[in-house]
Amino acid sequence: MRQPQILNELRQMSASVGANILLVQGAGGNSSVKDGDVLWVKASGTWLADAEDKDIFVPVALSAARAALAQGDERVPLAPNAGTTLRASIETSLHALMPHQVVLHVHAVNTIAWAVRTDARDEFARRLDGLAWRYLDYHHPGLPLARAVSETIARNPVDVLVLGNHGLVVGAATCNAAEAMVADVEERLMLEPRSAPTADHDALRTICAGAGYRLPRDPRCHDIATDRYSRAIATSGSLYPDHVVFLGPGLPVLEHRENLSAMIARTIADGLAPPVALLVPDAGSLIREDASDGAEAMLTCLALVTCRLPLTARLNYLAAESEHALLNWDAERYRQQLTADR
């Protein structure tokens, strides 16, 4: 079907945003543009960073999608003659409900570092003063989040939505304006990252030899294990959905002098899969040899978020039922598979 000129602008903006790991990690985040009654939105499991190199946008029948959401149906109807086998983003409902021509949803690190805190409301009010914004408590992605967004924007039209334990959504008239708005919000919410002790690469290589694990590609991932504050935060629970989807709930720790192969054997004997990643206190982080690029990106994201959180901050972790819902959601299994095949 015909692709509008503004779709090229969306591709350029999406690739720019997707290349910035402080805004988007792996297959996270999504963007869209409305062209008449067609909503062009990022396909599930694709990477915004690939927007200029791959065909990652699918056309959705906008009025039909809105009508379905009004009836409590989160299935997304593609536009006639869509010509694709890809699925629309899990969060297409956000894009359909927002009235703006361009909508951009990111997992911005500074925003998340505030959005996981129970004591952030006053800071949001102060730092986002002058913007048309609202804060939403955590809701499961898809229909539950769509309902919350629908109720919010029905009361007060907004350009900025801060999603508790999730991320940031902005709406604007143009792609450049949407990208600029994200940059503005992140600058207002900027937090100074905490430095961490150096990792012990030799010790890590010795620990994981023959166990099916390796050192992560991004050296920042080690900061989660070598900094005691970040380690305490990371091992106390899950902070946002993509962590659960790509790394599993929380992060396990290899205790002092514990044998990694023995730990993995016990895990398997308990009927569980070996952890995607784990922490070795004061030494660094390890990740499974078969971990996807998406898992690697999420480990980096965790490092970037935790180093911006003081240990004294009061945090909202995802409830066990929320973790279970994410792990057993067919839409997320589909996204994981596509990410693995990137």
Side-chain angles (χ1 to χ4, degrees), residues 61-215:
L62 181 57
S63 57
R66 286 172 170 166
L69 286 170
Q71 297 298 317
D73 185 353
E74 64 181 334
R75 289 175 296 180
V76 178
L78 294 183
N81 303 314
T84 181
T85 59
L86 294 172
R87 297 185 191 178
S89 167
I90 291 168
E91 288 156 339
T92 295
S93 53
L94 288 176
H95 300 263
L97 290 170
M98 294 281 281
H100 310 76
Q101 184 173 25
V102 178
V103 177
L104 176 59
H105 169 44
V106 293
H107 297 161
V109 164
N110 287 287
T111 300
I112 291 175
W114 283 111
V116 299
R117 295 175 60 163
T118 63
D119 57 352
R121 300 297 183 104
D122 290 343
E123 286 291 338
F124 282 135
R126 181 175 70 85
R127 291 170 180 251
L128 300 181
D129 183 50
L131 299 179
W133 72 279
R134 287 292 181 276
Y135 173 85
L136 277 71
D137 288 328
Y138 176 78
H139 295 273
H140 184 71
L143 190 57
L145 179 56
R147 286 174 173 153
V149 169
S150 180
E151 292 172 3
T152 297
I153 64 179
R155 291 193 299 268
N156 295 285
V158 297
D159 300 322
V160 176
L161 288 171
V162 177
L163 308 181
N165 292 86
H166 191 153
L168 173 67
V169 181
V170 304
T174 67
C175 292
N176 287 340
E179 186 172 5
M181 191 173 297
V182 164
D184 181 29
V185 172
E186 274 291 274
E187 184 175 355
R188 290 166 179 251
L189 298 178
M190 188 73 68
L191 290 161
E192 188 67 27
R194 184 175 53 251
S195 59
T198 303
D200 188 338
H201 290 190
D202 290 339
L204 291 172
R205 292 190 184 97
T206 299
I207 289 168
C208 69
Y213 284 76
R214 58 176 172 79
L215 278 64

Side-chain angles (χ1 to χ4, degrees), residues 138 140 238 241 244-245 248-249 318-330 332-333:
Y138 176 78
H140 184 71
S238 307
V244 178
V245 172
L318 296 182
E321 54 266 30
S322 296
E323 293 177 335
H324 180 79
L326 290 163
L327 291 171
N328 291 278
W329 192 16
D330 177 66
E332 285 291 17
R333 291 196 184 101

Side-chain angles (χ1 to χ4, degrees), residues 276-332:
V276 178
L278 54 88
L279 307 179
V280 183
D282 304 320
S285 301
L286 295 174
I287 193 165
R288 263 190 1 220
E289 290 177 346
D290 62 349
S292 68
D293 289 344
E296 287 263 3
M298 290 316 304
L299 196 59
T300 296
C301 180
L302 185 63
L304 295 172
V305 170
T306 54
C307 75
R308 287 167 167 79
L309 289 169
L311 190 62
T312 54
R314 291 178 294 159
L315 303 181
N316 269 327
Y317 290 97
L318 296 182
E321 54 266 30
S322 296
E323 293 177 335
H324 180 79
L326 290 163
L327 291 171
N328 291 278
W329 192 16
D330 177 66
E332 285 291 17

